[in-house]
Amino acid sequence: MNSTWFRRFTTAEGNGPRLVCFPHAGGSATAYMQLARTLPAHFDMVAVQYPGRQDRYREAPFTSVTPLVEAVAGELARELASDPGRPYALFGHSMGALVAFETARLLAGSELPSPQRLFLSGRGAPDVRAKTRYDLYDDDAVLAQVRRLGGTDQVMLDNPDVLEMVLPALRADYRALGAYRWNGGAPLATPITALIGDSDPVVTVEEARTWREQTSGDFAFKVFPGGHFYLTDHVDQVAATLVEGLLAATSAA
């Protein structure tokens, strides 16, 4: 896959279903490295690398969800067209859930095959989520929110040199989230699995369950012990959920 937008953390491309993973706000493709190594070897898991981080540090990060989705969908569409027979799914956590969802909506309007399933984690459906004005946050407020969420990013916040590198992407991502507005639309036909930590400080279990309204197909709901970044402590169980959901969707197709 295109090396600018997608990263593969396994030594070889699996010949089975493809899973495309979308990182959280301020996150990079490497957030999914452990998951990639936990999934079965025949899966082909790739992670999206947004501009403005790691090896794309010198590129300007997007400050709006719509152009980011359009860019990702355009790159993904080229890959789908070159390998039309391979089933695929999208997985997104937090901000990544929103980007994955909007990417699926954009692809649904094309002639390309839709994903077999969406896995949407750490976020509620966009039509019910409180409209927090993250775009009005200054740097201190953004960092306070990141500390509240927890996760491995805490290490970066304590290193001034690293923080200087990651802050532009964090700032841009929170601006994009704050400026995002849901315009409505018909539910997708694509099945959805929603995932959430039972003690997430910003998303309740009931808010996560509202993804049910965004699909006319099958809906599954998984609650894990933990906070916003429950995935770190439950990577084996998350991987099992992805395998179960994707294989079920593939066999039903």
Side-chain angles (χ1 to χ4, degrees), residues 120-125 128-129 192-213 219-228 230:
L120 305 175
S121 168
R123 187 180 176 89
V128 297
R129 185 171 172 80
I192 290 176
T193 295
L195 307 89
I196 190 69
D198 62 4
S199 56
D200 192 310
V202 294
V203 184
T204 69
V205 170
E206 288 308 310
E207 284 175 331
R209 199 187 300 273
T210 57
W211 283 112
R212 178 68 187 94
E213 303 166 13
F219 178 75
F221 190 60
K222 300 289 185 179
V223 181
F224 297 86
H228 193 66
Y230 70 88

Side-chain angles (χ1 to χ4, degrees), residues 93-212:
H93 179 68
S94 198
M95 171 182 151
L98 178 62
V99 179
F101 172 66
E102 289 290 2
T103 298
R105 292 182 71 212
L106 194 57
L107 291 173
S110 71
E111 296 181 355
L112 294 166
S114 295
Q116 297 289 317
R117 196 169 195 100
L118 293 180
F119 298 93
L120 305 175
S121 168
R123 187 180 176 89
D127 55 335
V128 297
R129 185 171 172 80
K131 304 299 188 295
T132 304
R133 293 302 306 270
Y134 291 124
D135 52 323
L136 302 180
Y137 277 24
D138 60 15
D139 289 351
D140 289 340
V142 169
L143 294 175
Q145 177 72 354
V146 174
R147 288 189 172 94
R148 181 186 178 202
L149 294 177
T152 55
D153 292 337
Q154 304 301 302
V155 177
M156 298 189 300
L157 304 183
D158 296 329
N159 185 319
D161 294 332
V162 176
L163 181 59
E164 183 179 357
M165 294 182 64
V166 302
L167 191 54
L170 267 173
R171 187 188 299 126
D173 289 351
Y174 272 82
R175 187 176 301 171
L177 287 172
Y180 172 82
R181 295 295 178 267
W182 169 248
N183 294 320
L188 293 170
T190 303
I192 290 176
T193 295
L195 307 89
I196 190 69
D198 62 4
S199 56
D200 192 310
V202 294
V203 184
T204 69
V205 170
E206 288 308 310
E207 284 175 331
R209 199 187 300 273
T210 57
W211 283 112
R212 178 68 187 94

